[in-house]
Amino acid sequence: MLTKSPRGTKDILPEDMYKWLYVEEAFRDICYKFGYKGIRTPIFEHTEVFKRGVGETTDIVQKEMYSFEDNGGREITLKPEGTAPVVRAFIENKLYADAQPVKLYYITPCFRYERPQAGRLRAFHQFGIEAFGTINPGIDAEVIALAMNFFRTLKIKNLELRINSVGCKKCRSEYNKILKTYLKDKLPSLCNTCQDRFERNPMRIIDCKSETCKEQLTNIPLMIDHICDQCKDDFESLKENLSLMDIKYTVDPTIVRGLDYYTKTAFEIISNEIGAQATVCGGGRYDGLMEELGGPETPGIGFGMGIERLLLTLKNNNIEIPKPKDMDVFIVTIGDKSKKEATKLLSKLRVEGISADKDYMDKSIKAQFKYANKKNAEYCVVIGDDELEKGIVTLKNMEIGEQVEVELDNIVTELKNRL
Ligand code: ATP
Ligand code: MG
């Protein structure tokens, strides 16, 4: 127990850290280019934020949340997703008073109690963006474009963008009636979850993963065939905007998304290389969410992207993330005086912005070189007591093995020139 992390969690080890830093940097960069500013919200919120913001009928709220009562008797939940907290922060900090639209991005851990498998963890990470304040479908297209451009900068090519419209309050309630009429006879043979969804959110039945439900519901009425004229216009406008940006898509009427608050645009970006958990990015519009959480009527649209699934996609597409250099210089010492000199030199090098290290274990010279090799040091500076008398050190290029003598006083300048 003590030496094993909880089921569904994974350590991100030093050897993999560069991949995380690389995609995070790329994500920040694309957000900057699209005019999205960063926001960080706490790891936990009042449970009510997610009950209201994600929706009582969702899998997340019904079975996946890490909830507990804190010592002060508050109902608290670890973030299962990023949107509801950002909306809460938007209201609390009155960001609706800023120039609209307000465009935000986040990088956050998320927690969901699910069955762990490849690409599905209990503690995972998401990139996300949200754009608040406009119903213009151009922004829906922009949100999708940001995700697609991000994938392009990472050189991921064979992704599939699927879009749908899940309608607005008005046409959804009309559609729900049609749906319920269709479902009524079939209800007894559907799974328990779907029986539950029937009253509360029948559209979610389309999303059921159970094979028996799927078989029963092959010709289930689809929202897209019942959307109102306004939703239809908006969907057409979204498609036009995507085409203007050369973004290819397919319309997939079965996308309903897991969260209750979606209206109109819903989309998923699929990577067929990463197995069953193929959705790398999912998002959509949530025009009623702000009011649901007690804020002023403000439309919004955004996406969440699983970072673990993104890294899996990169790996399965054989896309190499450039590995940064581990270390510029390692100082090898022979003798007591040289050790003191090494401490001085190391400090100077680091002040100059050079990445440098030295031995702390009284290793033999051979072992020091071995360590430097393991750490991929580009250069070694060898300081020996005898040479030190003459004010000289040896500089070794570890890749080609070339060695030159350099005056101690000049070594920092010499290294700066070479690096
Ligand atoms: P799924 O259908 O795979 O369960 P979801 O609809 O629950 O996904 P969202 O809530 O939209 O997913 O989250 C956005 C993205 O976060 C997903 O597309 C996925 O890449 C990632 N994600 C969701 N749940 C997990 C998880 N348990 N482990 C790792 N990544 C996840
Ligand atoms: Mg899920």
Side-chain angles (χ1 to χ4, degrees):
M1 276 278 265
L2 268 182
T3 53
K4 201 159 179 357
S5 79
R7 188 164 140 77
T9 68
K10 258 193 193 142
D11 299 310
I12 302 163
L13 295 172
E15 66 196 36
D16 289 324
M17 190 54 81
Y18 73 97
K19 298 176 192 164
W20 285 77
L21 297 180
Y22 182 82
V23 293
E24 284 171 16
E25 192 50 41
F27 184 67
R28 285 197 186 92
D29 186 57
I30 202 89
C31 287
Y32 169 72
K33 287 181 180 143
F34 276 69
Y36 287 69
K37 289 232 163 104
I39 183 163
R40 292 185 198 185
T41 64
I43 298 287
F44 56 83
E45 295 279 344
H46 290 120
T47 299
E48 200 57 24
V49 170
F50 301 112
K51 280 195 177 160
R52 292 279 275 263
V54 179
E56 297 270 10
T57 67
T58 57
D59 287 352
I60 292 183
V61 171
Q62 291 200 339
K63 35 185 188 194
E64 295 174 1
M65 294 208 298
Y66 278 90
S67 300
F68 59 96
E69 194 183 292
D70 77 2
N71 290 346
R74 294 171 200 88
E75 293 298 329
I76 297 291
T77 293
L78 302 185
K79 236 188 225 191
E81 57 94 51
T83 301
V86 170
V87 171
R88 195 269 309 137
F90 182 93
I91 300 168
E92 181 169 349
N93 298 288
K94 300 189 176 58
L95 301 190
Y96 46 81
D98 289 357
Q100 307 286 309
V102 172
K103 308 206 280 187
L104 304 170
Y105 80 84
Y106 56 79
I107 302 177
T108 184
C110 292
F111 307 89
R112 296 186 193 175
Y113 191 78
E114 327 197 46
R115 200 166 67 79
Q117 44 199 301
R120 189 175 295 284
L121 293 142
R122 290 183 173 171
F124 63 101
H125 299 79
Q126 276 188 358
F127 292 136
I129 69 167
E130 319 289 349
F132 297 107
T134 174
I135 52 164
N136 184 333
I139 203 100
D140 302 41
E142 178 182 277
V143 164
I144 294 175
L146 190 151
M148 296 306 276
N149 279 25
F150 175 57
F151 291 127
R152 195 184 309 151
T153 61
L154 295 176
K155 304 196 170 60
I156 304 174
K157 289 202 185 84
N158 35 358
L159 289 175
E160 211 186 312
L161 166 64
R162 298 184 190 165
I163 60 170
N164 189 23
S165 172
V166 295
C168 61
K169 249 192 189 151
K170 200 177 96 207
C171 47
R172 180 91 63 84
S173 73
E174 285 303 307
Y175 164 71
N176 279 349
K177 284 183 204 153
I178 298 168
L179 195 54
K180 279 178 156 176
T181 313
Y182 165 86
L183 288 168
K184 215 167 208 148
D185 307 337
K186 304 190 166 55
L187 202 57
S189 53
L190 299 184
C191 74
N192 286 344
T193 320
C194 283
Q195 303 213 1
D196 214 38
R197 287 167 173 157
F198 180 76
E199 280 306 330
R200 303 210 265 180
N201 190 358
M203 194 173 70
R204 293 268 299 121
I205 293 178
I206 297 174
D207 203 27
C208 188
K209 306 282 185 292
S210 135
E211 284 305 323
T212 43
C213 289
K214 274 190 194 163
E215 277 167 26
Q216 303 272 335
L217 305 171
T218 42
N219 48 8
I220 189 166
L222 297 164
M223 183 70 238
I224 193 91
D225 300 321
H226 299 273
I227 53 177
C228 64
D229 288 345
Q230 183 63 52
C231 285
K232 214 176 269 174
D233 285 352
D234 289 344
F235 195 52
E236 287 310 311
S237 171
L238 165 67
K239 292 195 279 187
E240 186 191 6
N241 273 285
L242 289 174
S243 300
L244 286 171
M245 291 186 280
D246 254 341
I247 295 172
K248 298 204 170 29
Y249 60 84
T250 51
V251 175
D252 179 350
T254 67
I255 293 178
V256 298
R257 309 283 312 128
L259 316 187
D260 273 359
Y261 50 62
Y262 283 107
T263 54
K264 297 181 191 257
T265 305
F267 69 94
E268 291 187 348
I269 302 172
I270 316 283
S271 163
N272 290 314
E273 269 88 16
I274 59 170
Q277 315 310 322
T279 311
V280 184
C281 178
R285 180 167 275 287
Y286 43 84
D287 289 346
L289 179 61
M290 194 71 72
E291 290 153 280
E292 189 62 39
L293 289 180
E297 192 181 330
T298 313
I301 170 145
F303 69 64
M305 184 186 297
I307 306 184
E308 283 81 0
R309 287 191 204 173
L310 171 70
L311 290 170
L312 213 55
T313 304
L314 285 163
K315 184 168 167 240
N316 293 359
N317 279 284
N318 297 318
I319 298 169
E320 294 256 347
I321 293 175
K323 209 169 176 179
K325 197 159 63 169
D326 288 321
M327 189 191 296
D328 294 323
V329 181
F330 187 85
I331 305 174
V332 176
T333 49
I334 317 162
D336 287 339
K337 275 190 196 139
S338 68
K339 278 193 180 131
K340 286 189 182 150
E341 199 55 48
T343 304
K344 265 162 68 181
L345 177 60
L346 182 62
S347 172
K348 272 189 214 158
L349 289 171
R350 287 173 172 170
V351 167
E352 290 297 332
I354 293 171
S355 130
D357 212 346
K358 72 177 180 73
D359 172 52
Y360 287 99
M361 315 256 307
D362 286 328
K363 285 192 173 91
S364 69
I365 302 171
K366 200 174 154 203
Q368 288 183 57
F369 271 113
K370 205 170 153 192
Y371 182 81
N373 249 329
K374 265 214 165 124
K375 296 284 159 188
N376 288 320
E378 194 175 344
Y379 287 96
C380 276
V381 172
V382 189
I383 311 180
D385 284 358
D386 292 348
E387 289 80 3
L388 209 52
E389 299 276 303
K390 295 179 255 166
I392 282 173
V393 295
T394 304
L395 180 62
K396 181 173 181 183
N397 179 322
M398 294 297 280
E399 200 182 334
I400 55 176
E402 175 212 52
Q403 277 186 192
V404 286
E405 289 198 334
V406 179
E407 280 181 34
L408 179 60
D409 291 344
N410 290 337
I411 187 68
V412 178
T413 320
E414 177 68 25
L415 278 166
K416 275 173 81 178
N417 288 340
R418 284 176 176 241
L419 288 165

